Amino acid sequence: MIKKRMVAMLLAGGQGTRLGVLTNRTAKPAVPFGGKYRIIDFPLSNCVNSGVDTVGVLTQYEPLELNGYLGNGSAWDLDRNSGGVYVLPPYVKGSRGEWYSGTANAICQNIGFIERYDPDYVLILSGDHIYKMDYSAMLRHHEEKQADATIAVLQVPMEEAHRFGIMNTDADDRIVEFEEKPRQPRSDKASMGIYIFTWPVLREFLMRDDREESSEHDFGKNIIPAMLRDGRRMFAYRFEGYWKDVGTVQSLWEANMDLIQDEPELNLDDKDWRIYSRSAIMPAHYMGRSGSAIRSIVTEGCNVEGSIRHSVLFAGVTIGEGAEISDSVVLPGACIGANAVVKKAIIGENASVGEDACIGAAPEEDDPPYDTSLTGDITLVASNTAIRAGARVPAGMIVNADAFGAKEG
């Protein structure tokens, strides 16, 4: 048995339905972000930078691309003889598998993995947040408070607090009550879904919850309320800095746009806190004679002959001559044809937009009805989808197959 002070368990099995076609064949943590990263790069990099060298990644939905991306963990310096990164799919009993039925159940099914390292503490993380955080500082806070559980919280405007799990605390930041999306919140301390537990205590409550058939086996709904009822020492840890839950099309687009502000809150060029990535080695990007880019991120391997404004281009993107891209996120390998227009859109991996097409066009009266509940006014084109030349796709539409001049390529 190898003794560890703290191991991390990263919940990466969510389906990500609110990201629409971006997660049809990809686990949410594997969705590209910021030109050369994927969402899971952030918690993994935070672990390495915080001195946490043993990470279990709990996968479930569409795990193939995520598993391949993680590899042996070398991109994040997590290819260790003692520790490292481990992919943990749902546990198989005999000839049958048992899906993770909740966040707590996912950890409970992997108690054996945790016990291999006999940790004093367990760090629980989510795989769909963009942020930089020193978990070692949070652990010091946990130890100083002699806590059974510490929950990272972010101060949010009171008018938005009803959208979060809210921690009500006393003057010492001890948690006295947890409210899941309260109608009338009494605190502005929103849970970030980042927890540190003293391991023997967490193990006790996981086993107790596992025996409760009526439980949803969820940390927010079951484990945390049970610990509060039992009078356990639970404290809030106040986080100050950039943090974004990118679980929706709108928030994913906003987080990418945040990177190209004049003074971005999230610095991805921070040499003291690097965000590591397993990005492919590609040639330098090329700006053609007619190409231009204003206030944008253009990643290696891009070939730009058109104009880019306030947009993020991932590796290997091609922009044809005369094309105009604005307020958009173009994922790896996508191709935008000559004289095409792309406005406030997310273009999926290896998608193609034909010449003279218009993505994000102003809606017109004769447009057929379409659902914008996931997208708002952000147009979303699925990966590996081809938009035919001259096609017009109105703002907020999701293009996945044969619709409005689009067909799967």
Side-chain angles (χ1 to χ4, degrees):
M1 183 180 293
I2 305 168
K3 177 70 176 177
K4 294 286 182 180
R5 185 182 181 201
M6 183 165 74
V7 300
M9 302 294 280
L10 202 167
L11 299 164
Q15 187 170 353
T17 55
R18 293 182 299 164
L19 284 174
V21 295
L22 294 178
T23 50
N24 275 358
R25 298 181 180 89
T26 302
K28 182 164 52 173
V31 169
F33 174 80
K36 63 180 300 179
Y37 305 97
R38 293 183 185 264
I39 297 170
I40 200 170
D41 288 332
F42 289 82
L44 287 177
S45 298
N46 288 339
C47 283
V48 172
N49 291 329
S50 302
V52 180
D53 64 5
T54 304
V55 184
V57 180
L58 285 68
T59 63
Q60 180 157 279
Y61 172 78
E62 292 287 350
L64 185 61
E65 185 173 356
L66 181 60
N67 293 356
Y69 182 71
L70 293 174
N72 67 355
S74 59
W76 306 271
D77 192 27
L78 286 171
D79 52 337
R80 308 292 181 90
N81 291 328
S82 172
V85 63
Y86 296 84
V87 175
L88 303 172
Y91 187 69
V92 176
K93 296 179 178 179
S95 61
R96 298 181 61 186
E98 181 181 337
W99 290 111
Y100 295 144
S101 58
T103 54
N105 175 258
I107 304 300
C108 188
Q109 285 199 39
N110 288 285
I111 283 178
F113 169 81
I114 297 172
E115 290 185 331
R116 286 174 55 186
Y117 299 98
D118 187 27
D120 298 316
Y121 309 103
V122 173
L123 170 67
I124 309 294
L125 303 170
S126 173
D128 54 0
H129 299 153
I130 302 297
Y131 66 110
K132 295 190 291 186
M133 182 177 182
D134 186 353
Y135 302 136
S136 65
M138 183 175 173
L139 178 57
R140 287 194 297 273
H141 179 81
H142 180 88
E143 292 179 315
E144 289 167 2
K145 297 294 187 181
Q146 297 181 314
D148 295 313
T150 299
I151 300 174
V153 299
L154 185 72
Q155 191 172 16
V156 298
M158 283 298 292
E159 60 269 20
E160 296 181 14
H162 68 279
R163 300 192 295 109
F164 299 89
I166 295 297
M167 302 294 162
N168 298 323
T169 63
D170 64 15
D172 193 36
D173 276 339
R174 181 165 180 170
I175 299 169
V176 296
E177 185 182 22
F178 171 72
E179 295 181 285
E180 181 66 29
K181 298 181 180 179
R183 290 184 178 181
Q184 295 181 317
R186 300 194 300 276
S187 167
D188 59 2
K189 298 183 183 73
S191 171
M192 298 169 63
I194 300 169
Y195 316 117
I196 290 179
F197 293 96
T198 299
W199 172 234
V201 177
L202 176 60
R203 189 186 192 284
E204 173 190 342
F205 278 86
L206 287 174
M207 298 301 293
R208 187 188 302 181
D209 179 74
D210 189 55
R211 294 189 294 268
E212 182 59 58
E213 293 184 1
S214 62
S215 174
E216 295 183 50
H217 309 301
D218 182 83
F219 276 100
K221 296 177 181 177
N222 305 109
I223 300 295
I224 292 171
M227 292 182 72
L228 283 171
R229 287 194 301 270
D230 209 46
R232 297 293 179 152
R233 292 180 60 81
M234 306 179 71
F235 288 84
Y237 174 75
R238 299 181 186 228
F239 173 77
E240 295 182 1
Y242 184 92
W243 178 85
K244 193 87 167 184
D245 182 338
V246 287
T248 67
V249 172
Q250 181 73 31
S251 61
L252 179 64
W253 179 83
E254 288 175 354
N256 276 279
M257 295 298 104
D258 287 344
L259 298 176
I260 46 182
Q261 302 305 313
D262 288 338
E263 296 182 6
E265 290 185 66
L266 182 67
N267 178 14
L268 296 182
D269 193 31
D270 184 351
K271 295 177 175 57
D272 295 325
W273 199 273
R274 283 192 59 192
I275 301 299
Y276 300 90
S277 173
R278 192 180 174 181
S279 59
I281 298 174
M282 303 187 75
H285 67 260
Y286 172 75
M287 300 291 293
R289 182 176 300 177
S290 58
S292 66
I294 299 173
R295 203 172 169 188
S296 298
I297 293 174
V298 181
T299 313
E300 64 263 27
C302 290
N303 188 324
V304 179
E305 298 285 355
S307 62
I308 314 297
R309 183 179 61 80
H310 199 250
S311 295
V312 176
L313 272 58
F314 283 72
V317 165
T318 299
I319 307 296
E321 186 173 359
E324 298 179 5
I325 315 299
S326 61
D327 301 315
S328 295
V329 181
V330 187
L331 300 187
C335 180
I336 311 300
N339 300 311
V341 175
V342 178
K343 303 177 183 177
K344 198 172 184 181
I346 300 177
I347 308 297
E349 295 186 64
N350 301 310
S352 64
V353 175
E355 296 183 3
D356 300 304
C358 182
I359 310 299
E364 297 179 356
E365 289 185 4
D366 58 351
D367 288 338
Y370 58 95
D371 184 10
T372 61
S373 58
L374 288 178
T375 58
D377 61 348
I378 301 167
T379 309
L380 186 59
V381 176
S383 298
N384 303 303
T385 295
I387 306 291
R388 287 194 283 264
R392 174 184 162 277
V393 180
M397 176 171 278
I398 297 175
V399 181
N400 190 25
D402 193 12
F404 265 78
K407 65 179 179 180
E408 194 167 338

